[in-house]
Amino acid sequence: MSEVWAPTEVTTAAATVLGSTTVDQWHGRWQEFAGTPSVRITVAGPYNTGKSSLLKRLLVDAGATVPGWLTASARRETFLAEAVAAGDITYVDTPGLDSGEGSHDAAAAHAIALTDALVLLIGPQLVLNDVERAAALVEGTFLAAAGGAVFPPGALLLVIARGDTMGTDPVDGPEGYRQLCERKRAQLHSALQRALPGRLLPEIVVIAADSSGAQARRAQPQPAAYDRSRPWDGVGALSSALAGLSARRSELRTAAAARHWRHLADAAITEAGIEIERLTAEVDGRRALTEQLAALRHELDTADASARTRLQSLIVRELTAVVHVSVGEDQNVLVNEAIRRIEQHVEAWLAQSNKILVDLTRRAKVELQSGTQAQLPTEYLRGTVNELLAQRHAPAAGTERGTERLMKAVDLLAGNAQTILSKVYEAGAGMTLENARLELGRFDALVAALKPETAKEALKLLDQADVFTSDAAAGQLAKLKDDGPARQLIEFLSRPGGVTSPAHAANLAKRLRWTSAIGEAAPVLFSLTRLGISDHKGEQLSREQQRKREELTHQIAARAPEIAELMLDGPGAPWAESITEVREALRLAAPFENETAAIEARRAEFATARATLTSAYTRHRPLGEAA
């Protein structure tokens, strides 16, 4: 099995995750490095381990010019990887590791991947972080979590730097210094053996590249400046180890290719994992929201159906119950009892139904804009009916008994129910039923013509008191009139004697709805009442009368849904408006299916790319492993 990765396999999958621009940058860096004829040796390590001092020493000993960017200090002065040639070797200085700057570590990692050999500097204290980094580079996990980004034997050298600061003076006690260097090498070797049992470990060298920092401030020291420390500073042994690398360029470059593409694969695998986790959470959230909204829609439909059933039941119950009212001699008992029962029970129904709806909207986090209040024109209905009965049905003294007089009054009331209700409506609304229907029809048509994006704000403005005479609203009205449908609505509301505002239209619709409901029930109600009076009078109902009562009772049950529909679904009906508003809010809150599908498709692409890249680790053996 080949030990060299095919870049096309890696880059295609990585581009799915990281984007083609990022992968092109990786490819460009590789092409630039691959075309370099000299062997590239990178020097890396923490920012205070003397990388710059070592590079300067190697350049001076090779007779090369020290570049101006090469400085030597414990400060974080190297920000980018910089290269300098010395014969058939190109040395690369890297930003200090563990500097606290993420960009420094990233630049150093790229330089370590794109190199033929690596000199890793370790501080003389052999701190745990330095040892773990060295182990990761030996194992091949520094650049790729799954491993395999390894260096060939001899291409990774571990250098314990600044040996002259370890505590024993190399000039005054050379033997003690030599023994101390051996102990440091043994300590690092032992630590790596514990971390990597059975693995071949790289050479370890102890150096003092610039004893006491004597040449740190000199731009171009002479080779003789280092002669005093050469016998013990270890740089000669390091140079000898590096000298033989030039002849191995082809082998080293092949290993560098494996490290570079494994580094890219690892970056893509890591990013794919993050994205898959994020997209999975997003898909799960969307699915949970869709299920929650579906449950709420079902609950809303159930609440609506239950409310309608309860309203129909109470209409049947209360209208039938009116038949059994003890009417006595009072002509107003029937009207009063009908109004009392309907008003009392419908208001109770509204309160109960509204509580259920408000609780649902709270859990759905939907704010209701429409109200759920309804009022019967009680006083107008009572006053008008009593007045008409008193004027038109007052009997001559002693001519009729109370029960007979009441029977005639009910008969006349039944025959004139629509006229009475029309007068009731006109007294309360300020216009006839017919005019109200025409006005509401025109108002609804004008509102429907408004642009959806401006309708809500326009209706809110037109509901303000004195909107047509207020100086404060003049500017808003003028702006609103620029829109044709809005201008027509303003002109319609400005006419005398008609609808004056959206709130006025809603009030007219409510009155119309209740009037229609009472009108629908009146003929059956009065027929049943007449039969009830007959019972009260002590008359024995004939079989025909009994059949008639049952028939009328069935008619009430049959007409109840129609009456309820007038109350629930008529123009401006608060319950229907609220149900529609909540249903629309739930629809708008639902995630778009095509967006969810696109997220799932993207997650699948990341999963496929990650699987492809992970598979490459098993199909391409790292250097040094048996196939």
Side-chain angles (χ1 to χ4, degrees):
M1 186 177 291
S2 172
E3 295 176 341
V4 180
W5 279 27
T8 301
E9 178 185 22
V10 177
T11 56
T12 300
T16 300
V17 179
L18 303 175
S20 58
T21 300
T22 298
V23 173
D24 286 345
Q25 292 172 352
W26 282 71
H27 187 72
R29 285 195 293 267
W30 169 253
Q31 291 293 344
E32 181 182 0
F33 169 64
T36 304
S38 59
V39 170
R40 178 179 292 184
I41 299 175
T42 296
V43 179
Y47 65 88
N48 61 347
T49 49
K51 293 185 288 82
S52 298
S53 296
L54 174 58
L55 272 174
K56 181 187 287 188
R57 173 69 179 273
L58 292 173
L59 292 174
V60 169
D61 286 352
T65 301
V66 178
W69 50 260
L70 190 58
T71 60
S73 75
R75 293 180 290 123
R76 301 165 176 81
E77 293 180 340
T78 304
F79 304 103
L80 300 172
E82 300 279 3
V84 56
D88 55 0
I89 292 177
T90 297
Y91 291 105
V92 177
D93 189 18
T94 60
L97 298 169
D98 302 331
S99 65
E101 296 288 342
S103 59
H104 289 191
D105 290 345
H110 282 303
I112 292 171
L114 284 175
T115 192
D116 295 308
L118 175 66
V119 176
L120 179 67
L121 272 62
I122 300 172
Q125 299 83 6
L126 301 183
V127 297
L128 179 61
N129 197 39
D130 288 351
V131 175
E132 289 178 343
R133 183 185 298 113
L137 283 164
V138 173
E139 189 180 21
T141 56
F142 180 79
L143 297 172
V150 296
F151 287 85
L156 172 62
L157 291 96
L158 304 182
V159 174
I160 301 175
R162 301 176 62 190
D164 54 331
T165 65
M166 292 189 299
T168 300
D169 190 300
V171 176
D172 294 339
E175 181 57 25
Y177 177 75
R178 185 189 63 79
Q179 293 177 4
L180 179 58
C181 289
E182 288 300 324
R183 286 199 301 272
K184 287 291 182 181
R185 278 194 292 268
Q187 289 174 13
L188 180 56
H189 190 274
S190 177
L192 292 175
Q193 275 188 326
R194 288 193 299 271
L196 306 170
R199 186 177 287 271
L200 179 65
L201 299 179
E203 183 178 354
I204 301 173
V205 181
V206 181
I207 67 167
D210 182 11
S211 180
S212 303
Q215 310 303 319
R217 299 302 175 186
R218 295 185 180 181
Q220 185 69 49
Q222 296 300 310
Y226 298 101
D227 287 347
R228 183 169 176 268
S229 63
R230 289 186 190 279
W232 50 263
D233 63 20
V235 177
L238 175 61
S239 298
S240 298
L242 298 176
L245 296 175
S246 297
R248 301 171 58 192
R249 178 185 177 280
S250 178
E251 172 199 357
L252 300 177
R253 198 59 53 92
T254 298
R259 287 194 305 275
H260 179 71
W261 299 121
R262 284 180 183 273
H263 189 200
L264 171 61
D266 185 74
I269 289 171
T270 301
E271 182 64 21
I274 294 171
E275 281 299 298
I276 289 172
E277 183 177 354
R278 182 185 68 80
L279 294 174
T280 298
E282 186 171 353
V283 168
D284 290 346
R286 282 172 166 265
R287 286 175 176 168
L289 177 59
T290 299
E291 292 175 0
Q292 179 186 12
L293 292 173
L296 287 170
R297 283 194 297 272
H298 176 73
E299 188 176 345
L300 179 66
D301 292 340
T302 301
D304 185 28
S306 175
R308 290 172 182 273
T309 300
R310 285 187 289 105
L311 180 60
Q312 293 173 21
S313 297
L314 76 86
I315 289 173
V316 172
R317 185 183 71 242
E318 299 309 324
L319 291 183
T320 303
V322 172
V323 177
H324 304 291
V325 174
S326 178
V327 295
E329 299 287 335
D330 192 344
Q331 65 185 11
N332 292 320
V333 169
L334 176 62
V335 174
N336 289 341
E337 184 65 8
I339 292 173
R340 184 188 69 79
R341 285 178 176 273
I342 293 174
E343 185 175 51
Q344 172 186 344
H345 292 288
V346 170
E347 289 298 328
W349 170 87
L350 272 174
Q352 181 183 5
S353 301
N354 183 54
K355 182 177 183 301
I356 295 171
L357 187 59
V358 168
D359 177 66
L360 188 149
T361 59
R362 177 185 58 78
R363 286 182 286 111
K365 297 182 180 179
V366 175
E367 182 180 356
L368 277 175
Q369 300 298 324
S370 59
T372 53
Q373 298 302 316
Q375 294 182 349
L376 287 171
T378 308
E379 297 303 323
Y380 293 109
L381 183 60
R382 178 182 292 112
T384 302
V385 173
N386 282 334
E387 180 183 351
L388 291 173
L389 290 176
Q391 290 178 357
R392 298 186 181 187
H393 303 292
T399 60
E400 293 181 301
R401 292 178 297 170
T403 302
E404 294 171 348
R405 188 167 58 249
L406 184 57
M407 289 280 279
K408 289 185 177 182
V410 171
D411 288 342
L412 188 57
L413 183 61
N416 294 276
Q418 293 298 326
T419 303
I420 294 170
L421 289 171
S422 296
K423 288 183 175 294
V424 171
Y425 187 88
E426 185 174 356
M431 65 178 69
T432 66
L433 274 170
E434 185 61 29
N435 284 343
R437 290 190 179 98
L438 292 173
E439 287 287 305
L440 288 173
R442 291 192 60 192
F443 174 78
D444 290 341
L446 290 171
V447 170
L450 294 175
K451 296 179 180 177
E453 63 269 18
T454 60
K456 187 174 181 180
E457 291 300 322
L459 294 176
K460 182 178 179 182
L461 173 65
L462 295 174
D463 249 343
Q464 295 180 9
D466 303 324
V467 65
F468 297 115
T469 58
S470 169
D471 293 336
Q476 292 175 283
L477 276 177
K479 183 178 179 181
L480 198 58
K481 287 180 179 179
D482 291 338
D483 179 56
R487 182 175 64 255
Q488 293 178 6
L489 178 61
I490 292 170
E491 292 172 353
F492 173 76
L493 295 177
S494 302
R495 299 176 303 110
V499 176
T500 59
S501 69
H504 185 205
N507 185 50
L508 291 176
K510 290 177 182 178
R511 291 178 181 276
L512 183 61
R513 185 171 64 257
W514 286 110
T515 301
S516 300
I518 295 295
E520 291 289 337
V524 176
L525 176 62
F526 289 133
S527 296
L528 285 171
T529 301
R530 198 177 195 289
L531 292 175
I533 294 172
S534 295
D535 279 345
H536 176 74
K537 195 170 71 169
E539 296 179 354
Q540 181 67 38
L541 291 176
S542 65
R543 290 183 178 179
E544 178 63 22
Q545 287 174 317
Q546 292 177 357
R547 185 194 64 76
K548 184 63 175 176
R549 169 175 284 182
E550 292 175 358
E551 179 182 332
L552 292 174
T553 302
H554 288 312
Q555 289 181 20
I556 287 176
R559 297 299 296 275
E562 182 179 344
I563 297 170
E565 185 176 352
L566 285 171
M567 296 180 181
L568 292 168
D569 299 323
W575 176 257
E577 288 179 359
S578 297
I579 291 292
T580 300
E581 185 179 339
V582 176
R583 187 174 284 115
E584 178 65 9
L586 293 176
R587 184 188 70 81
L588 293 176
F592 292 117
E593 288 297 328
N594 59 338
E595 291 182 353
T596 303
I599 294 171
E600 290 180 321
R602 185 60 174 155
R603 180 180 61 177
E605 289 178 359
F606 280 126
T608 300
R610 182 173 65 174
T612 299
L613 293 166
T614 303
S615 174
Y617 279 113
T618 59
R619 290 184 291 104
H620 296 277
R621 300 287 182 179
L623 291 175
E625 288 189 7

